[in-house]
Every structure is written in C-alpha cells, then in structure tokens.
C-alpha cells in the first residue's frame, strides 16, 4: 500500500509499505482523511524532539471499518465511520495507576513515536476505535485535535462563573474555546490573526483581543473588572504567551498549559506565590473528551468545514507542509485524502 513518510526534516515522500494484517483484538481501518498536526509540521521542520525518523505521520484520523478480527466485541460493523484514540498507555506507570492514561509516561502516539495513519490502511486494537453512525470520516478527522482542547477545559475545572482567556485560536485553542462556551463560561479569545478572532467570536467568544494591535492587559482589566481571568489556557507554546498566562491570570486563578515551548522561559515566580495560582499541564485527551467532541458535532452548530484549510493528495503533502510553514497563522487544519 501507499504511505507518506517523513524521511528527514524537509523530505516527505510517498512510499510502498506492507499492508497491515490484523492480529487478535484488532480492527482494520480504511483511511479516508488524516490531518496534519502541529507536531507533524515540527517533525517536517526538524523541531520535534520526540519523533523517531523516518516516520509515517498522522494521528487525526477519519476512516471506516474494513475488517474485524474474530474476537472484536459487538458494536463494530464493516463500513462504519470511525476515528481513533491515537495514544498508548502502559497500565503501570503513575499516570495510569492514577486513572489518567492520557499522560502515560510511556505513551507512544501514532505518527510520533510510532508510524501513524497517513497510509491506506492501519490495524488498531478495538479499544482505540471510536465508531459513529452519523458523522462522516471527514468530520471525524477533526475530533482528535478538538478533544485536546476539550481536555484542557476539564483540567481547568471551568464553570459558568469563570472568565476564561484562551491564548491561541488554532485548532486546539478553538477546542478549548468551544468547550468553555458549552460550560457557560465567559470566554476571551487572544490571537494575532483577525480572521481567527472573527471565527472565535462566531463560536461564542464574548470578547476578542488581537495581541499585536491591542494591549492585552488593559483590555483584560476592562473585561474582568480589574481582576484578571479566572482561567487562562495557553495553546500556543511560546515564551511570550506562557508569561502572558501567568501575568494575566487572576489571583487564585488557574493556568492550563497545552503548548510546548521550544526554548527555556524566564518567569516572575513571585506571581506563583502571591497569586497562589494553580498551574496545570494538559496532555492529549481522555475517551470522554472524544465523546464530548462528537456530541458537540452532532448538534449541527459546529462549522467543521471552516476549519479545513485545504485537502491534498498524498503526492501533494510536501506542497501542503511548505504552505503551512510559510504562513502558519493562516492554517487551521490540512487534510490528506487517501
């Protein structure tokens, strides 16, 4: 079968690889769409320290069930649309013992530490397949990145009395925004791109701030009556946005970090103590986050097509990544169609 493979930074090729054969407990999936994630772009540009090259990228999956091994339980049928929980968990590390397998110490994500889904078929354990009778593979390819944002909101414990500032309105930040709105919070979206901020407004953000053309601190003081945001969700991964999160969160507020910063960051650590803030990491997503995104999509008010910046054939993958690399602020999700 054909598969996309990142060979070295800057070099992605279509190659022939063996078609997988299902083992006991596995489901064979025919891949229709796979999304390029920010981690895939970092792999392509040589900035992903966790990847093992060469690798087949892709963990944002829209597929259909092609074959079932004999011991797959009822509920799965050939032809059903599905997505995949792309993480592994060992079952014995501290995270797994504490009921948080999404943060497994030994996690191996599809397309990062092991080959992913930018190919014609993959075989995965049935426990990792999330099938649905209503959504299409194209819609389901957007579930995983949204679920990461949904999980961050759960980590923050967002409620309907909170002001929530989401820094970064890419796909994952949008997920955090949508989930916060669904929980009844008052949401403030921060980004550098007016187009993304307009979409944030459409999705329910009560306020938007362009951090290039506006003073974030002054706007936030106005919006939050001088108290700062109860919750700040950092979905960029840059020194300036990490510091913004700590500087602008309210006293006794919560900061949730999703983005990976590429360099060390210096903080005014006095704010950690003076404000008595909670700083929480948010990694991947839990099965309930996937279910929550799917339920949101089924309500019919979620503009999935708005988030698809382009659909490319496998042979056009290098063109797609170069486009994203040249203007990252203008891209939500690029899909590869098999």
């Amino acid at each position: 079968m054909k598969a996309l493979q990142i060979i070295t930074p800057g070099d992605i090729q279509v190659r022939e690889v063996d078609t997988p054969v299902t083992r006991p407990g596995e489901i064979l999936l025919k891949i229709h769409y796979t999304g390029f994630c920010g981690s895939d772009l970092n792999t392509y540009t040589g900035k992903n320290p966790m990847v093992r090259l060469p690798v087949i990228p892709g963990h944002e999956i829209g597929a259909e069930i092609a074959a079932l091994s004999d011991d797959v339980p009822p509920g799965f049928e050939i032809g059903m649309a599905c997505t995949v929980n792309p993480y592994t968990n060992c079952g014995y590390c501290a995270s797994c013992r504490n009921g948080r397998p999404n943060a497994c110490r030994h996690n191996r994500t599809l397309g990062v530490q092991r080959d992913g889904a930018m190919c014609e078929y993959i075989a995965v354990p049935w426990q990792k397949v999330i099938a649905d009778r209503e959504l299409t593979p194209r819609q389901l390819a957007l579930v995983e990145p949204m679920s990461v944002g949904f999980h961050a909101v759960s980590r923050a414990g967002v409620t309907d009395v909170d002001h929530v500032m989401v820094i970064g309105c890419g796909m994952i930040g949008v997920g955090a925004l949508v989930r916060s709105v669904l929980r009844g919070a008052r949401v403030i979206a921060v980004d550098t791109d007016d187009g993304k901020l307009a979409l944030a407004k459409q999705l329910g953000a009560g306020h938007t701030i362009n951090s290039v053309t506006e003073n974030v601190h002054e706007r936030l003081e106005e919006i939050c009556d001088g108290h700062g945001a109860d919750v700040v969700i950092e979905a960029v991964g840059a020194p300036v946005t990490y510091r913004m999160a700590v500087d602008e969160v309210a006293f006794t507020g919560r900061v949730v970090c999703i983005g990976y910063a590429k360099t060390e960051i210096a903080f005014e650590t006095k704010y950690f103590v003076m404000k008595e803030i909670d700083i929480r990491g948010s990694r991947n997503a839990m099965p309930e986050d996937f279910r929550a995104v799917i339920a949101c999509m089924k309500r019919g008010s979620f503009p999935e097509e708005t988030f698809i910046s382009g659909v490319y054939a496998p042979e056009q993958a290098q063109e797609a990544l170069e486009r994203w690399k040249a203007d990252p602020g203008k891209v939500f999700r690029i899909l590869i169609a098999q």
Side-chain angles (χ1 to χ4, degrees):
M1 67 174 182
K2 289 183 178 180
L4 270 174
Q5 195 173 60
I6 299 177
I7 312 301
T8 58
D11 182 14
I12 184 168
Q13 300 178 20
V14 178
R15 293 195 165 185
E16 285 290 330
V17 300
D18 292 337
T19 300
V21 177
T22 56
R23 296 175 294 184
E26 290 188 335
I27 296 177
L28 184 70
L29 304 181
K30 166 61 180 165
I31 304 299
H32 288 284
Y33 295 97
T34 315
F36 269 129
C37 173
S39 63
D40 298 319
L41 179 63
N42 286 333
T43 297
Y44 177 74
T45 58
K47 298 177 182 177
N48 188 347
M50 297 181 291
V51 76
R52 299 176 183 177
L53 294 176
V55 70
I56 298 171
H59 57 263
E60 301 174 2
I61 299 165
E64 70 171 285
I65 295 174
L68 304 167
S69 57
D70 292 337
D71 53 352
V72 171
F76 299 99
E77 298 174 8
I78 292 175
M80 287 181 72
C82 60
T83 188
V84 173
N85 182 327
Y87 325 119
T88 64
N89 56 285
C90 68
Y92 58 82
C93 73
S95 300
C96 291
R97 292 201 310 270
N98 290 330
R100 289 157 67 178
N102 60 295
C104 175
R105 181 175 182 177
H106 305 290
N107 168 62
R108 297 173 69 238
T109 299
L110 285 171
V112 185
Q113 293 92 356
R114 57 190 174 127
D115 281 337
M118 285 196 179
C119 50
E120 294 180 82
Y121 293 91
I122 60 169
V124 295
W126 68 263
Q127 296 93 335
K128 296 296 183 180
V129 177
I130 303 165
D132 190 84
R133 298 183 187 279
E134 298 178 38
L135 299 183
T136 66
R138 187 176 173 110
Q139 291 173 302
L140 289 164
L142 301 176
V143 169
E144 192 276 342
M146 290 287 294
S147 73
V148 175
F150 272 46
H151 182 66
V153 173
S154 294
R155 291 284 293 141
V158 170
T159 72
D160 58 358
V161 299
D162 288 322
H163 277 102
V164 178
M165 181 167 77
V166 178
I167 306 174
C169 295
M171 197 69 190
I172 291 173
V174 162
L177 186 158
V178 168
R179 188 58 162 162
S180 297
V181 170
L182 288 172
R183 290 194 175 194
R186 291 157 289 182
V187 179
I188 305 130
V190 179
D191 203 278
T192 60
D193 183 82
D194 285 331
K196 288 184 175 179
L197 291 172
L199 179 59
K201 195 81 171 176
Q202 178 186 338
L203 293 170
H207 303 273
T208 61
I209 304 173
N210 185 315
S211 58
V212 173
T213 61
E214 301 175 85
N215 185 301
V216 175
H217 178 74
E218 290 179 0
R219 284 292 316 282
L220 202 62
E221 289 285 290
E222 296 169 5
I223 295 164
C224 301
D225 298 324
H227 297 299
D230 303 290
V231 174
V232 179
I233 296 175
E234 199 287 333
V236 176
V240 64
T241 51
Y242 261 82
R243 285 192 291 265
M244 182 190 297
V246 172
D247 291 347
E248 302 302 340
V249 72
F251 275 62
T252 67
R254 290 98 74 197
V255 173
V256 175
C257 306
I258 311 174
Y260 279 88
K262 307 300 186 298
T263 59
E264 293 183 358
I265 304 172
F267 289 100
E268 285 282 359
T269 55
K270 65 180 182 181
Y271 291 140
F272 299 0
V273 179
M274 289 172 57
K275 293 185 177 184
E276 199 177 43
I277 55 177
D278 293 334
I279 301 177
R280 305 172 185 176
S282 182
R283 184 181 179 190
N284 300 330
M286 293 284 281
E288 56 263 33
D289 301 308
F290 284 82
R291 293 195 297 270
V293 173
I294 288 172
C296 175
M297 287 183 169
K298 286 182 177 180
R299 293 187 185 101
S301 59
F302 188 73
E304 297 97 347
E305 289 299 317
T306 305
F307 301 116
I308 299 173
S309 304
V311 180
Y312 294 80
E315 292 77 9
Q316 299 172 301
Q318 187 137 10
E319 173 191 341
L321 287 169
E322 287 293 335
R323 174 191 168 195
W324 193 2
K325 176 183 171 183
D327 197 359
K330 296 295 183 183
V331 172
F332 277 106
R333 268 305 174 269
I334 290 171
L335 298 183
I336 297 297
Q338 297 288 345

